[in-house]
Amino acid sequence: AQKVTQAQTEISVVEKEDVTLDCVYETRDTTYYLFWYKQPPSGELVFLIRRNSFDEQNEISGRYSWNFQKSTSSFNFTITASQVVDSAVYFCALSHYNAGNNRKLIWGLGTSLGVNP
Amino acid sequence: DTEVTQTPKHLVMGMTNKKSLKCEQHMGHRAMYWYKQKAKKPPELMFVYSYEKLSINESVPSRFSPECPNSSLLNLHLHALQPEDSALYLCASSPYERESTGELFFGEGSRLTVL
């Protein structure tokens, strides 16, 4: 079954700490995409990254970095030197082909990150 | 500031009311989406419009009626809703016709309460 697991429901850190949000996925597809979205208290979901299953290179964007490992089916997200503005719910998502041969997103349940000053 | 604008931000309605949620984007995207999000849950896809035509309906009850008057506007008409329909309704747009292909641009949502 296609599935995305974000085992950490809530994480609380103090500003400037590094924090890693875990994402483990299951899929039978050989080609798939993985995503991370951020949802701050204002409500809108903000796209952070899309990763193709064929590209296992890690990615860094400012304080954000992503570690994609097909061997462990994980796509973890690290925030370095966290800031209060990083407080949000973070969703990991997997694209897969459903029974109708259409690609859909499977979302994890999200990790709520609180960064305290 | 988000480039997808949703109105109203908050809406309270009775089960016999008729109301509409509105969404507007000016990024020239070909696809627009409606999602429903309950508290502490991920968003659930409801409808997708591609080139102003309904391309996906995720078996949504008929009390929700989408409309795409033009490529920039998306409406969700609400009628005879139930209290369990209370949720955050998110609109999104994308250059892609499938939510799973690329980046989705979301609005801040309309928080609906059904009494």
Side-chain angles (χ1 to χ4, degrees), chain A residues 3-14:
Chain A
K3 188 179 174 183
V4 174
T5 301
Q6 295 181 255
Q8 304 146 309
T9 306
E10 290 185 21
I11 301 176
S12 183
V13 300
V14 176

Side-chain angles (χ1 to χ4, degrees), chain A residues 36-96:
Chain A
W36 276 95
Y37 280 86
K38 171 184 179 181
Q39 188 172 34
S42 54
E44 85 277 20
L45 282 133
V46 178
F47 169 86
L48 296 178
I49 190 170
R50 183 189 79 167
R51 177 49 49 96
N52 185 307
S53 56
F54 293 115
D55 181 5
E56 285 196 71
Q57 279 194 339
N58 290 332
E59 178 136 351
I60 298 174
S61 176
R63 296 184 297 106
Y64 294 171
S65 61
W66 290 269
N67 184 349
F68 177 33
Q69 292 196 341
K70 286 179 78 170
S71 60
T72 56
S73 297
S74 65
F75 187 41
N76 296 337
F77 172 35
T78 297
I79 302 174
T80 303
S82 59
Q83 299 176 3
V84 173
V85 293
D86 296 326
S87 298
V89 179
Y90 291 86
F91 291 98
C92 180
L94 162 74
S95 74
H96 81 110

Side-chain angles (χ1 to χ4, degrees), chain B residues 31-51:
Chain B
M32 295 186 76
Y33 304 73
W34 279 115
Y35 288 84
K36 173 183 178 181
Q37 187 179 25
K38 301 285 270 184
K40 298 188 183 298
K41 298 288 186 184
E44 299 171 43
L45 182 64
M46 300 174 71
F47 302 103
V48 180
Y49 272 83
S50 176
Y51 292 106

